[in-house]
Amino acid sequence: MNHSQTFVYNRYTSSRHVYNTSDYSEQRDSLSVVPKLHSTRKYVSFRVCQTNRNRENMRYISISDDKTLEQLKEEICRQLQLTMEVADFSLTRFDDKDDVWVPINDIDMHNRISNLHLPSYSIMNIEKREETNTDDQHISKIRTSNLTLKLCKQPMDKSKYVILTTDSMITIDQLKEEARKKVMATKTNYLYLWKDDNWIKFDTELDDLTLYDSEFEQYSIISFETEDDPVPGVCGLTNLGNTCFMNSALQCLSNIPEFTRKVLSFGNEMNAPIIGAYAALIKTMWSGDYVVTTPSSLLLNIRDNLPRFPRYKQQDAQEFMNYFLHLIHQEFTDESTLITNLFYGGIQSSVKCLDDCCHSETNEEQISFLPLPIENESNQYNILYLRSNGEQRFISIRTCATTLDKLVSLFIDQYEPNFSLQRIRIVRIVNNKIRKTLPLYVSLNDINIDQLTFIELPEKTVDQRYIQFLFLDRETGEPFRPPIFIVGPQWECRYRDLSQQINQIQNHFCSITDASINVVKHLYWINEYNEIRPLKSEKDTNDTFLFMDYITMEIDYQWIQKYKHLYNFDRSIDNSSLDSLLVEFFREEPINGDYYCSQCHGLRKATQKADLALPLPRVLIIQLKRFTYDTYSDRKIDTYINFPLINLDLSQYIIQNSETKTDIVALYDLVAVSNHTGTLIGGHYITYAKNDGNKRWYSFNDDRIREITDEKDIVTKNAYILVYVKQV
């Protein structure tokens, strides 16, 4: 890093802009940086809510205490870019002792700030004045002229965006036009606003509304749907009445590249109703002309041939897929068909006598899918635990708890008995960034993530606060691991207040990588004004770190790679993985009861074992057996199963006596997942599939489609059918 330059950090765009040191004073003035500490004037700082009484969204205002209340209001208007007169609003101060908002007397607007005796760093809010007219009373709104928005570069992808600065009084239609030009899209259709963890859609009839009337806030995230040409294969299927099971299975099959290429090559001369209807559907889906189509013709032909799938009744997607492929196989009439060539594999079962003869009997059968039983571990939670010294641990907890606070309490009892609930922050980590903080009262049934992250919060006093500590790649500026928190003084923070905690973090990294201490010396701090400054020790400076938001430790790429390679989580307690299910399925186990050995001619003890026979199937369909049926109940098993997206290795499960075992390809890549949500009675199927054209993942929820931008979202506890394709 070039220390002759000052880095200004934009926390909303995660980008860094470099300014020459000579221009720094001008940049500092534009950001209203607190004057230098050796100034002869006495300055006071206040925190002003940028949205009504929202203490999570505040801006620091620093002003000389010999200024008047009127001048304070003018400074607030200037920094918050309010287009209003100071007489149009009053100020209130938050009294944290009584937890109330207290009005600030503004009868004398020329009263000096020093005479108001306001505590330093008081939290203030702008209050709306009531205005009276001849009809009634109404409250005038405070609005900002300039509005800064974050515009997604791709529809609904919040991870990649550009900054769009506009006027709050433009219309939705005008905003869509500005957005179109900003990302160089050909057309725009619907505008979306991210609010309360959901996308809010603005239909075209709302185009005449202004952003101000629509309550857009500073740094709101917006996106839009384009009217560009559809992507071939990214085509939804209409639900024809409880047919989500069929739609999900068809989307899985549609995204098997070799299968779809063969089907697209079929002509119209085949006298096969199922194949003909399916080929017509696939040609429509992959034409690039449609975003939604209706599989009605195929459904009618299927119901004529499969009466077990009655109209308007929910069915099992795996059963449907299996029967559907069998129907296509039958219509080919030949013994060896496209279906057998792609989907069929073999399982060799062997039984070995444990008497002196050691006789072994083998039997081989064809399979079109691999059914893997799973245990009911719906109350198991896999948790990434981040300690304040930098250590990462992967733990698993089984509990019948219903809320997060009870889960955290159990975690504390088992792992951190000296902690209180307030010492653990529950978050969701995406791309090594905190995506969302979860409150303790949340029900575990309402959480859609399969791996929680617990972050240890160091003990603090009322005069201290938490500071986020980021681990960044020096080259890209992106985090290479999740953040942690350290604690520092609420106001005048110096290096000595943080040095012990920073040393622990540095020592952790060095102990993992065997790096020297110089590798972890690139430390910076980011203040409220989004500036990055070198974090210098007491030996170098006695500066106070004013309004510190973050601390970053920047590491060179080669050490990051070594850290990632050497830092292995202890996952030995985690049995909820696809590999563990495969090991269990192909494990040698004793036969229950006596076995009659044809060699010994008597009842003997024996073992049985299953192996994959060659050749391996080109398409491997795995069923995670989540449904159990007995006389008294139908149950669904919600155990989270972790499965790989690429390089599923089946080599260890192939029959041991195969002479060609070392010469075959046994690696598979995932192309589709059929997910089942809800219960057996009120369930629903959704497919995640990888488009072979653009290599992107999409969610197919009947006729609703969205792109999956984070591949971590593909692996969920709802996965039911996994479709893998063998690498060539």
Side-chain angles (χ1 to χ4, degrees), residues 99-160:
D99 198 28
V100 295
W101 290 92
V102 180
I104 296 176
N105 190 337
D106 60 357
I107 295 178
D108 182 7
M109 295 288 287
H110 298 288
N111 193 8
R112 296 188 183 277
I113 296 175
S114 58
N115 296 330
L116 297 175
H117 303 294
L118 298 173
S120 185
Y121 301 104
S122 291
I123 298 176
M124 294 185 178
N125 188 65
I126 300 169
E127 303 292 337
K128 307 168 185 177
R129 297 278 197 192
E130 291 187 353
E131 298 177 350
T132 306
N133 56 28
T134 56
D135 298 323
D136 57 0
Q137 288 189 339
H138 68 278
I139 297 177
S140 64
K141 295 182 179 179
I142 299 173
R143 64 179 176 87
T144 60
S145 176
N146 292 327
L147 194 62
T148 301
L149 305 173
K150 294 189 281 187
L151 170 64
C152 298
K153 292 183 177 180
Q154 297 292 334
M156 315 305 180
D157 182 1
K158 301 192 299 297
S159 65
K160 299 176 182 178

Side-chain angles (χ1 to χ4, degrees), residues 261-367:
R261 284 195 294 269
K262 293 287 187 181
V263 173
L264 290 174
S265 68
F266 291 165
N268 300 322
E269 68 282 356
M270 296 183 65
N271 184 21
I274 298 293
I275 296 176
Y278 181 66
L281 177 66
I282 289 297
K283 289 175 181 179
T284 298
M285 295 173 66
W286 285 86
S287 66
D289 296 329
Y290 301 89
V291 293
V292 177
T293 189
T294 303
S296 53
S297 177
L298 178 63
L299 179 60
L300 291 174
N301 281 282
I302 290 173
R303 282 176 173 161
D304 289 341
N305 289 272
L306 292 176
R308 66 172 288 111
F309 293 100
R311 191 172 181 85
Y312 304 127
K313 185 177 180 180
Q314 183 64 273
Q315 299 291 332
D316 186 286
Q318 187 277 329
E319 284 189 11
F320 170 81
M321 186 184 296
N322 195 39
Y323 279 111
F324 178 66
L325 292 176
H326 183 65
L327 283 178
I328 295 179
H329 169 66
Q330 285 184 318
E331 286 193 340
F332 278 114
T333 68
D334 297 325
E335 183 176 345
S336 178
T337 68
L338 172 63
I339 303 303
T340 58
N341 292 338
L342 287 181
F343 298 93
Y344 279 30
I347 291 287
Q348 178 177 289
S349 300
S350 60
V351 178
K352 181 179 180 181
C353 177
L354 296 182
D355 207 350
D356 294 338
C357 76
C358 295
H359 176 65
S360 180
E361 295 182 359
T362 62
N363 180 49
E364 185 172 324
E365 60 179 330
Q366 279 193 327
I367 61 168

Side-chain angles (χ1 to χ4, degrees), residues 444-477:
L444 294 175
N445 292 328
D446 296 333
I447 299 176
N448 293 324
I449 56 178
D450 298 299
Q451 184 181 44
L452 298 170
T453 298
F454 288 179
I455 303 182
E456 174 193 353
L457 298 177
E459 287 189 280
K460 75 177 184 69
T461 64
V462 294
D463 298 324
Q464 293 178 313
R465 65 189 179 93
Y466 293 119
I467 302 167
Q468 196 171 153
F469 194 102
L470 308 177
F471 301 82
L472 304 183
D473 185 325
R474 291 195 77 199
E475 182 178 345
T476 65

Side-chain angles (χ1 to χ4, degrees), residues 43 157 199-200 252 273 283 307 321 340 348 385 434 464 512 522 536 621 662 674 695 707:
Y43 281 82
D157 182 1
W199 285 107
I200 300 174
C252 287
K283 289 175 181 179
M321 186 184 296
T340 58
Q348 178 177 289
Y385 177 39
I434 297 177
Q464 293 178 313
I512 297 297
H522 305 290
K536 298 180 180 179
I621 300 176
T662 57
S674 177
K695 308 303 180 184
E707 184 177 349

Side-chain angles (χ1 to χ4, degrees), residues 346 364 612-616 654-655 658 660-661 664:
E364 185 172 324
L612 286 173
L614 295 178
L616 295 177
I654 302 173
I655 48 178
S658 172
T660 59
K661 179 181 176 182
I664 65 169

